[in-house]
């Protein structure tokens, strides 16, 4: 029987048959063409049977040897074959026991997750913290607001209007400050299903975790109690959400994004966690935030600058500077490219609202210097092109390496710490 006929008869590939021949499981001699005898066919039937029985190729080879040195009637050969079968049977029994334990454990996890998914228990209701009202100032005249028609309790404002004497007004809805400045572009959308996270490469996730650990260590060393912290552009990534247990209730954490629905999604998730953290959520497409100048003690920038540069040519730190205290540092991570490359050209084509060379790391030191900051950074990893990546990463050209940098920026008159 020819190899093609044999492959078709037993529904296997020709390469599989050649593999068995090359490794001695089928014992015929190779010639210009394979010609399989009835004995070869019987050996193949035994190979396929033992594969279904979960035997390894080495075990199958041992059994084939027994067949080839006798007629399977000799007591010694029968005993040896029986011992091989009994060992495999015991091994499979233990595997079945371990698999049953694993399935039972998975079933418990599924039940627990199903319970969480339909959990209707009482969760914390968050709103605009009353302590944050004094920091809300008019983005036009920097005057203070009057709160009108408010729904509130002893800690939070859940709805209402904020009016300035100059005529500017905002609203509080679902515990979120809405400036009315909505994104009108066509190149971004709220990532409510977190597709960016699910499609990002494992290499990138591991490197980000190293950045998390180091930045979180610095935040703990600084102490966040009674501090005002700002994190922007959380549609790309929300550091505080993933480290909420490390934020003390005495900290005021300001979170901004251009998509109100992103802020509402995160607010509802945080409420389920029942963590009494003072979050001030501000929905604003600009970075002319309705905040008191010089009120922020610390900026957490986990890809915020990267997200910003895709939709604005103005340097991120330049727009942040009016809201920062004189000693306020900026901590986080940034990804991008050194020099000029094709990846940045493709990025600008995909995001025409961006700077001419988006994600250009060479621009950052000068931008921070112009704002009165010294930029410190260290490379965490080089990211190669990966099919699993999406969004701004899909513009990466094969062979052009993206740099993931851990960064810290401090005012030049403030002594720097570790990074």
């Amino acid at each position: 029987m020819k190899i093609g006929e044999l492959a078709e008869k037993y529904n296997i590939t020709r390469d599989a048959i050649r593999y068995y021949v090359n490794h001695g499981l089928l014992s015929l001699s190779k010639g210009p063409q394979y010609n399989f005898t009835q004995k070869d066919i019987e050996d193949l039937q035994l190979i396929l049977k033992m594969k279904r029985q979960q035997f390894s190729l080495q075990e199958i080879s041992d059994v084939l040897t027994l067949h080839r040195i006798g007629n399977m009637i000799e007591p010694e050969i029968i005993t040896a074959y029986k011992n091989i079968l009994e060992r495999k049977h015991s091994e499979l029994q233990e595997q079945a026991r371990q698999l049953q334990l694993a399935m039972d454990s998975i079933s418990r996890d599924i039940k627990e997750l199903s319970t969480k998914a339909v959990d209707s228990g009482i969760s914390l209701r968050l709103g605009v913290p009353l302590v944050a009202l004094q920091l809300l100032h008019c983005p036009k005249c920097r005057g203070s607001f009057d709160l009108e028609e408010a729904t509130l309790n002893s800690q939070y404002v859940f709805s209402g209007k904020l009016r300035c004497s100059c005529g500017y007004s905002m609203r509080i809805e679902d515990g979120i400050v809405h400036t009315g400045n909505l994104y009108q572009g066509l190149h971004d959308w709220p990532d409510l299903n977190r597709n960016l996270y699910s499609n990002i490469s494992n290499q990138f996730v591991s490197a980000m975790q190293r950045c998390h650990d180091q930045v979180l260590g610095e935040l703990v060393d600084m102490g966040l109690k009674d501090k005002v912290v700002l994190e922007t552009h959380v549609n790309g990534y929300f550091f505080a959400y993933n480290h909420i247990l490390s934020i003390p209730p005495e900290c005021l954490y300001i979170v901004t994004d251009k998509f109100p629905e992103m802020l509402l999604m995160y607010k509802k998730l945080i409420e389920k966690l029942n963590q009494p953290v003072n979050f001030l959520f501000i929905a604003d497409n600009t970075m002319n935030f309705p905040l008191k100048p010089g009120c922020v003690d610390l900026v957490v920038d986990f890809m915020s600058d990267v997200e910003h540069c895709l939709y604005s040519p103005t340097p991120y730190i330049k727009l942040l500077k009016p809201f920062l205290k004189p000693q306020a540092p900026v901590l986080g991570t940034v990804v991008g490219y050194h020099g000029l490359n094709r990846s940045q050209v493709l990025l600008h084509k995909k995001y025409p609202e961006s700077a001419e060379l988006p994600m250009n790391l060479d621009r950052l030191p000068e931008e921070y210097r112009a704002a009165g900051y010294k930029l410190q950074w260290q490379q965490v990893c080089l990211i190669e092109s990966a099919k699993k990546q999406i969004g701004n990463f899909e513009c990466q050209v094969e062979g052009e390496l993206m740099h993931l940098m851990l960064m810290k920026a401090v005012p030049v008159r403030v002594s720097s710490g570790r990074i």
Side-chain angles (χ1 to χ4, degrees), residues 35-67:
N35 190 22
F36 297 91
T37 67
Q38 182 60 36
K39 181 65 172 63
D40 298 324
I41 294 172
E42 291 173 359
D43 285 347
L44 179 60
Q45 290 173 335
L46 179 60
I47 290 169
L48 297 177
K49 173 187 173 182
M50 295 188 71
K51 278 177 62 66
R52 292 192 297 271
Q53 294 173 334
Q54 305 299 308
F55 282 93
S56 68
L57 291 181
Q58 182 57 55
E59 291 168 329
I60 294 172
S61 178
D62 293 341
V63 171
L64 286 170
T65 297
L66 293 177
H67 278 262

mmCIF file of all heavy atoms in Angstrom, residues 35-67:
data_model
loop_
_atom_site.group_PDB
_atom_site.id
_atom_site.type_symbol
_atom_site.label_atom_id
_atom_site.label_comp_id
_atom_site.label_asym_id
_atom_site.label_seq_id
_atom_site.Cartn_x
_atom_site.Cartn_y
_atom_site.Cartn_z
ATOM 1 N N ASN A 35 6.455 1.572 0.406
ATOM 2 C CA ASN A 35 5.484 0.538 0.074
ATOM 3 C C ASN A 35 5.217 -0.257 1.340
ATOM 4 O O ASN A 35 6.091 -0.971 1.835
ATOM 5 C CB ASN A 35 6.013 -0.373 -1.038
ATOM 6 C CG ASN A 35 4.930 -1.288 -1.563
ATOM 7 O OD1 ASN A 35 3.738 -1.007 -1.422
ATOM 8 N ND2 ASN A 35 5.344 -2.402 -2.168
ATOM 9 N N PHE A 36 4.038 -0.123 1.903
ATOM 10 C CA PHE A 36 3.720 -0.662 3.219
ATOM 11 C C PHE A 36 3.077 -2.033 3.097
ATOM 12 O O PHE A 36 2.117 -2.236 2.338
ATOM 13 C CB PHE A 36 2.782 0.293 3.966
ATOM 14 C CG PHE A 36 3.416 1.633 4.242
ATOM 15 C CD1 PHE A 36 3.279 2.678 3.342
ATOM 16 C CD2 PHE A 36 4.168 1.828 5.394
ATOM 17 C CE1 PHE A 36 3.859 3.905 3.593
ATOM 18 C CE2 PHE A 36 4.758 3.049 5.643
ATOM 19 C CZ PHE A 36 4.616 4.097 4.739
ATOM 20 N N THR A 37 3.618 -2.971 3.882
ATOM 21 C CA THR A 37 3.103 -4.337 3.906
ATOM 22 C C THR A 37 1.978 -4.445 4.925
ATOM 23 O O THR A 37 1.696 -3.519 5.672
ATOM 24 C CB THR A 37 4.227 -5.317 4.281
ATOM 25 O OG1 THR A 37 4.620 -5.065 5.639
ATOM 26 C CG2 THR A 37 5.435 -5.160 3.359
ATOM 27 N N GLN A 38 1.370 -5.639 4.978
ATOM 28 C CA GLN A 38 0.315 -5.877 5.964
ATOM 29 C C GLN A 38 0.862 -5.740 7.368
ATOM 30 O O GLN A 38 0.177 -5.233 8.267
ATOM 31 C CB GLN A 38 -0.278 -7.274 5.753
ATOM 32 C CG GLN A 38 -1.420 -7.608 6.697
ATOM 33 C CD GLN A 38 -2.589 -6.645 6.575
ATOM 34 O OE1 GLN A 38 -2.903 -6.178 5.466
ATOM 35 N NE2 GLN A 38 -3.222 -6.328 7.691
ATOM 36 N N LYS A 39 2.129 -6.190 7.584
ATOM 37 C CA LYS A 39 2.744 -6.054 8.917
ATOM 38 C C LYS A 39 2.911 -4.581 9.280
ATOM 39 O O LYS A 39 2.663 -4.173 10.428
ATOM 40 C CB LYS A 39 4.113 -6.744 8.933
ATOM 41 C CG LYS A 39 4.820 -6.686 10.294
ATOM 42 C CD LYS A 39 4.039 -7.474 11.339
ATOM 43 C CE LYS A 39 4.823 -7.588 12.644
ATOM 44 N NZ LYS A 39 5.087 -6.322 13.297
ATOM 45 N N ASP A 40 3.297 -3.747 8.315
ATOM 46 C CA ASP A 40 3.414 -2.301 8.567
ATOM 47 C C ASP A 40 2.054 -1.710 8.929
ATOM 48 O O ASP A 40 1.952 -0.864 9.833
ATOM 49 C CB ASP A 40 3.969 -1.581 7.329
ATOM 50 C CG ASP A 40 5.364 -2.050 6.964
ATOM 51 O OD1 ASP A 40 6.140 -2.333 7.891
ATOM 52 O OD2 ASP A 40 5.650 -2.115 5.760
ATOM 53 N N ILE A 41 1.023 -2.187 8.226
ATOM 54 C CA ILE A 41 -0.318 -1.671 8.503
ATOM 55 C C ILE A 41 -0.749 -2.046 9.913
ATOM 56 O O ILE A 41 -1.336 -1.245 10.642
ATOM 57 C CB ILE A 41 -1.314 -2.192 7.445
ATOM 58 C CG1 ILE A 41 -0.964 -1.603 6.070
ATOM 59 C CG2 ILE A 41 -2.755 -1.846 7.828
ATOM 60 C CD1 ILE A 41 -1.763 -2.205 4.922
ATOM 61 N N GLU A 42 -0.435 -3.271 10.323
ATOM 62 C CA GLU A 42 -0.781 -3.706 11.682
ATOM 63 C C GLU A 42 -0.017 -2.894 12.721
ATOM 64 O O GLU A 42 -0.569 -2.525 13.784
ATOM 65 C CB GLU A 42 -0.474 -5.199 11.839
ATOM 66 C CG GLU A 42 -1.405 -6.087 11.021
ATOM 67 C CD GLU A 42 -0.964 -7.544 11.052
ATOM 68 O OE1 GLU A 42 0.069 -7.847 11.697
ATOM 69 O OE2 GLU A 42 -1.659 -8.381 10.413
ATOM 70 N N ASP A 43 1.269 -2.601 12.425
ATOM 71 C CA ASP A 43 2.048 -1.758 13.351
ATOM 72 C C ASP A 43 1.434 -0.364 13.452
ATOM 73 O O ASP A 43 1.342 0.217 14.543
ATOM 74 C CB ASP A 43 3.505 -1.647 12.876
ATOM 75 C CG ASP A 43 4.298 -2.909 13.141
ATOM 76 O OD1 ASP A 43 3.803 -3.778 13.898
ATOM 77 O OD2 ASP A 43 5.414 -3.027 12.599
ATOM 78 N N LEU A 44 1.014 0.184 12.309
ATOM 79 C CA LEU A 44 0.395 1.514 12.330
ATOM 80 C C LEU A 44 -0.908 1.495 13.124
ATOM 81 O O LEU A 44 -1.206 2.434 13.890
ATOM 82 C CB LEU A 44 0.144 2.009 10.905
ATOM 83 C CG LEU A 44 -0.524 3.392 10.792
ATOM 84 C CD1 LEU A 44 0.339 4.472 11.445
ATOM 85 C CD2 LEU A 44 -0.798 3.750 9.340
ATOM 86 N N GLN A 45 -1.678 0.454 12.969
ATOM 87 C CA GLN A 45 -2.924 0.343 13.739
ATOM 88 C C GLN A 45 -2.635 0.332 15.236
ATOM 89 O O GLN A 45 -3.345 0.967 16.033
ATOM 90 C CB GLN A 45 -3.671 -0.937 13.335
ATOM 91 C CG GLN A 45 -4.257 -0.892 11.932
ATOM 92 C CD GLN A 45 -4.838 -2.232 11.517
ATOM 93 O OE1 GLN A 45 -4.440 -3.292 12.010
ATOM 94 N NE2 GLN A 45 -5.771 -2.192 10.561
ATOM 95 N N LEU A 46 -1.567 -0.383 15.642
ATOM 96 C CA LEU A 46 -1.196 -0.424 17.050
ATOM 97 C C LEU A 46 -0.713 0.956 17.523
ATOM 98 O O LEU A 46 -1.068 1.406 18.632
ATOM 99 C CB LEU A 46 -0.093 -1.472 17.262
ATOM 100 C CG LEU A 46 0.423 -1.602 18.709
ATOM 101 C CD1 LEU A 46 -0.702 -2.005 19.655
ATOM 102 C CD2 LEU A 46 1.577 -2.613 18.771
ATOM 103 N N ILE A 47 0.063 1.636 16.677
ATOM 104 C CA ILE A 47 0.544 2.985 17.034
ATOM 105 C C ILE A 47 -0.637 3.921 17.283
ATOM 106 O O ILE A 47 -0.694 4.624 18.298
ATOM 107 C CB ILE A 47 1.447 3.538 15.907
ATOM 108 C CG1 ILE A 47 2.767 2.768 15.854
ATOM 109 C CG2 ILE A 47 1.721 5.038 16.146
ATOM 110 C CD1 ILE A 47 3.588 3.078 14.603
ATOM 111 N N LEU A 48 -1.583 3.943 16.367
ATOM 112 C CA LEU A 48 -2.723 4.848 16.494
ATOM 113 C C LEU A 48 -3.591 4.486 17.694
ATOM 114 O O LEU A 48 -4.115 5.371 18.385
ATOM 115 C CB LEU A 48 -3.550 4.826 15.200
ATOM 116 C CG LEU A 48 -2.813 5.317 13.942
ATOM 117 C CD1 LEU A 48 -3.703 5.186 12.714
ATOM 118 C CD2 LEU A 48 -2.353 6.757 14.109
ATOM 119 N N LYS A 49 -3.753 3.189 17.936
ATOM 120 C CA LYS A 49 -4.519 2.752 19.107
ATOM 121 C C LYS A 49 -3.863 3.217 20.396
ATOM 122 O O LYS A 49 -4.526 3.754 21.302
ATOM 123 C CB LYS A 49 -4.648 1.229 19.085
ATOM 124 C CG LYS A 49 -5.275 0.632 20.350
ATOM 125 C CD LYS A 49 -5.206 -0.890 20.303
ATOM 126 C CE LYS A 49 -5.676 -1.505 21.624
ATOM 127 N NZ LYS A 49 -5.571 -2.982 21.615
ATOM 128 N N MET A 50 -2.541 3.033 20.503
ATOM 129 C CA MET A 50 -1.836 3.403 21.733
ATOM 130 C C MET A 50 -1.776 4.927 21.908
ATOM 131 O O MET A 50 -1.769 5.414 23.042
ATOM 132 C CB MET A 50 -0.438 2.784 21.748
ATOM 133 C CG MET A 50 -0.455 1.264 21.810
ATOM 134 S SD MET A 50 1.186 0.544 22.051
ATOM 135 C CE MET A 50 1.518 1.015 23.750
ATOM 136 N N LYS A 51 -1.755 5.644 20.795
ATOM 137 C CA LYS A 51 -1.817 7.116 20.916
ATOM 138 C C LYS A 51 -3.156 7.537 21.521
ATOM 139 O O LYS A 51 -3.202 8.439 22.361
ATOM 140 C CB LYS A 51 -1.610 7.777 19.544
ATOM 141 C CG LYS A 51 -0.152 7.905 19.124
ATOM 142 C CD LYS A 51 -0.011 8.505 17.735
ATOM 143 C CE LYS A 51 -0.570 9.911 17.668
ATOM 144 N NZ LYS A 51 0.197 10.873 18.495
ATOM 145 N N ARG A 52 -4.231 6.873 21.075
ATOM 146 C CA ARG A 52 -5.530 7.176 21.671
ATOM 147 C C ARG A 52 -5.579 6.807 23.145
ATOM 148 O O ARG A 52 -6.322 7.410 23.921
ATOM 149 C CB ARG A 52 -6.639 6.449 20.902
ATOM 150 C CG ARG A 52 -6.867 6.959 19.488
ATOM 151 C CD ARG A 52 -8.153 6.394 18.898
ATOM 152 N NE ARG A 52 -8.109 4.939 18.770
ATOM 153 C CZ ARG A 52 -7.649 4.295 17.694
ATOM 154 N NH1 ARG A 52 -7.184 4.980 16.650
ATOM 155 N NH2 ARG A 52 -7.663 2.980 17.647
ATOM 156 N N GLN A 53 -4.772 5.830 23.532
ATOM 157 C CA GLN A 53 -4.704 5.406 24.937
ATOM 158 C C GLN A 53 -3.722 6.248 25.754
ATOM 159 O O GLN A 53 -3.459 5.941 26.903
ATOM 160 C CB GLN A 53 -4.297 3.924 25.011
ATOM 161 C CG GLN A 53 -5.343 2.975 24.442
ATOM 162 C CD GLN A 53 -4.842 1.536 24.383
ATOM 163 O OE1 GLN A 53 -3.622 1.278 24.290
ATOM 164 N NE2 GLN A 53 -5.767 0.582 24.425
ATOM 165 N N GLN A 54 -3.199 7.314 25.131
ATOM 166 C CA GLN A 54 -2.327 8.284 25.798
ATOM 167 C C GLN A 54 -0.911 7.765 26.069
ATOM 168 O O GLN A 54 -0.205 8.288 26.928
ATOM 169 C CB GLN A 54 -2.949 8.755 27.127
ATOM 170 C CG GLN A 54 -4.348 9.323 27.002
ATOM 171 C CD GLN A 54 -4.378 10.557 26.111
ATOM 172 O OE1 GLN A 54 -3.619 11.484 26.315
ATOM 173 N NE2 GLN A 54 -5.268 10.556 25.125
ATOM 174 N N PHE A 55 -0.484 6.759 25.344
ATOM 175 C CA PHE A 55 0.896 6.299 25.486
ATOM 176 C C PHE A 55 1.830 7.266 24.780
ATOM 177 O O PHE A 55 1.492 7.849 23.745
ATOM 178 C CB PHE A 55 1.067 4.898 24.885
ATOM 179 C CG PHE A 55 0.549 3.787 25.748
ATOM 180 C CD1 PHE A 55 -0.740 3.305 25.593
ATOM 181 C CD2 PHE A 55 1.353 3.225 26.734
ATOM 182 C CE1 PHE A 55 -1.227 2.282 26.386
ATOM 183 C CE2 PHE A 55 0.876 2.199 27.527
ATOM 184 C CZ PHE A 55 -0.419 1.725 27.365
ATOM 185 N N SER A 56 3.021 7.402 25.343
ATOM 186 C CA SER A 56 4.049 8.223 24.703
ATOM 187 C C SER A 56 4.682 7.458 23.553
ATOM 188 O O SER A 56 4.531 6.224 23.437
ATOM 189 C CB SER A 56 5.127 8.602 25.726
ATOM 190 O OG SER A 56 5.874 7.450 26.117
ATOM 191 N N LEU A 57 5.402 8.171 22.691
ATOM 192 C CA LEU A 57 6.072 7.496 21.582
ATOM 193 C C LEU A 57 7.103 6.493 22.069
ATOM 194 O O LEU A 57 7.289 5.428 21.459
ATOM 195 C CB LEU A 57 6.726 8.540 20.666
ATOM 196 C CG LEU A 57 5.766 9.429 19.864
ATOM 197 C CD1 LEU A 57 6.558 10.382 18.985
ATOM 198 C CD2 LEU A 57 4.798 8.598 19.029
ATOM 199 N N GLN A 58 7.769 6.815 23.180
ATOM 200 C CA GLN A 58 8.744 5.875 23.723
ATOM 201 C C GLN A 58 8.056 4.603 24.219
ATOM 202 O O GLN A 58 8.542 3.488 23.996
ATOM 203 C CB GLN A 58 9.524 6.525 24.874
ATOM 204 C CG GLN A 58 10.615 5.626 25.465
ATOM 205 C CD GLN A 58 11.632 5.171 24.437
ATOM 206 O OE1 GLN A 58 12.231 5.996 23.757
ATOM 207 N NE2 GLN A 58 11.813 3.857 24.280
ATOM 208 N N GLU A 59 6.919 4.760 24.880
ATOM 209 C CA GLU A 59 6.171 3.591 25.343
ATOM 210 C C GLU A 59 5.665 2.768 24.169
ATOM 211 O O GLU A 59 5.684 1.528 24.206
ATOM 212 C CB GLU A 59 5.009 4.042 26.226
ATOM 213 C CG GLU A 59 5.447 4.633 27.563
ATOM 214 C CD GLU A 59 4.328 5.327 28.310
ATOM 215 O OE1 GLU A 59 3.427 5.884 27.635
ATOM 216 O OE2 GLU A 59 4.355 5.335 29.546
ATOM 217 N N ILE A 60 5.202 3.449 23.126
ATOM 218 C CA ILE A 60 4.741 2.732 21.925
ATOM 219 C C ILE A 60 5.902 1.970 21.299
ATOM 220 O O ILE A 60 5.755 0.797 20.878
ATOM 221 C CB ILE A 60 4.138 3.719 20.914
ATOM 222 C CG1 ILE A 60 2.868 4.347 21.489
ATOM 223 C CG2 ILE A 60 3.834 3.020 19.592
ATOM 224 C CD1 ILE A 60 2.293 5.472 20.650
ATOM 225 N N SER A 61 7.068 2.593 21.259
ATOM 226 C CA SER A 61 8.246 1.930 20.710
ATOM 227 C C SER A 61 8.606 0.689 21.520
ATOM 228 O O SER A 61 8.964 -0.368 20.949
ATOM 229 C CB SER A 61 9.426 2.904 20.693
ATOM 230 O OG SER A 61 10.594 2.282 20.202
ATOM 231 N N ASP A 62 8.484 0.765 22.856
ATOM 232 C CA ASP A 62 8.780 -0.403 23.712
ATOM 233 C C ASP A 62 7.834 -1.561 23.402
ATOM 234 O O ASP A 62 8.253 -2.729 23.345
ATOM 235 C CB ASP A 62 8.657 -0.016 25.183
ATOM 236 C CG ASP A 62 9.736 0.971 25.618
ATOM 237 O OD1 ASP A 62 10.766 1.072 24.909
ATOM 238 O OD2 ASP A 62 9.543 1.635 26.656
ATOM 239 N N VAL A 63 6.539 -1.242 23.191
ATOM 240 C CA VAL A 63 5.562 -2.288 22.890
ATOM 241 C C VAL A 63 5.815 -2.883 21.505
ATOM 242 O O VAL A 63 5.735 -4.105 21.295
ATOM 243 C CB VAL A 63 4.130 -1.730 23.002
ATOM 244 C CG1 VAL A 63 3.109 -2.745 22.483
ATOM 245 C CG2 VAL A 63 3.823 -1.388 24.456
ATOM 246 N N LEU A 64 6.150 -2.032 20.525
ATOM 247 C CA LEU A 64 6.459 -2.531 19.190
ATOM 248 C C LEU A 64 7.667 -3.466 19.224
ATOM 249 O O LEU A 64 7.705 -4.475 18.497
ATOM 250 C CB LEU A 64 6.723 -1.361 18.240
ATOM 251 C CG LEU A 64 5.483 -0.565 17.800
ATOM 252 C CD1 LEU A 64 5.906 0.702 17.075
ATOM 253 C CD2 LEU A 64 4.588 -1.418 16.899
ATOM 254 N N THR A 65 8.627 -3.146 20.074
ATOM 255 C CA THR A 65 9.789 -4.022 20.220
ATOM 256 C C THR A 65 9.373 -5.402 20.710
ATOM 257 O O THR A 65 9.865 -6.436 20.221
ATOM 258 C CB THR A 65 10.803 -3.403 21.194
ATOM 259 O OG1 THR A 65 11.267 -2.166 20.649
ATOM 260 C CG2 THR A 65 11.985 -4.326 21.421
ATOM 261 N N LEU A 66 8.447 -5.430 21.686
ATOM 262 C CA LEU A 66 7.958 -6.724 22.186
ATOM 263 C C LEU A 66 7.291 -7.511 21.063
ATOM 264 O O LEU A 66 7.460 -8.739 20.954
ATOM 265 C CB LEU A 66 6.961 -6.498 23.321
ATOM 266 C CG LEU A 66 7.523 -5.894 24.612
ATOM 267 C CD1 LEU A 66 6.404 -5.671 25.625
ATOM 268 C CD2 LEU A 66 8.593 -6.812 25.219
ATOM 269 N N HIS A 67 6.517 -6.822 20.219
ATOM 270 C CA HIS A 67 5.873 -7.506 19.097
ATOM 271 C C HIS A 67 6.905 -8.061 18.119
ATOM 272 O O HIS A 67 6.684 -9.119 17.516
ATOM 273 C CB HIS A 67 4.943 -6.529 18.365
ATOM 274 C CG HIS A 67 3.596 -6.380 19.006
ATOM 275 N ND1 HIS A 67 2.482 -7.062 18.584
ATOM 276 C CD2 HIS A 67 3.194 -5.646 20.070
ATOM 277 C CE1 HIS A 67 1.449 -6.745 19.341
ATOM 278 N NE2 HIS A 67 1.858 -5.870 20.248
#
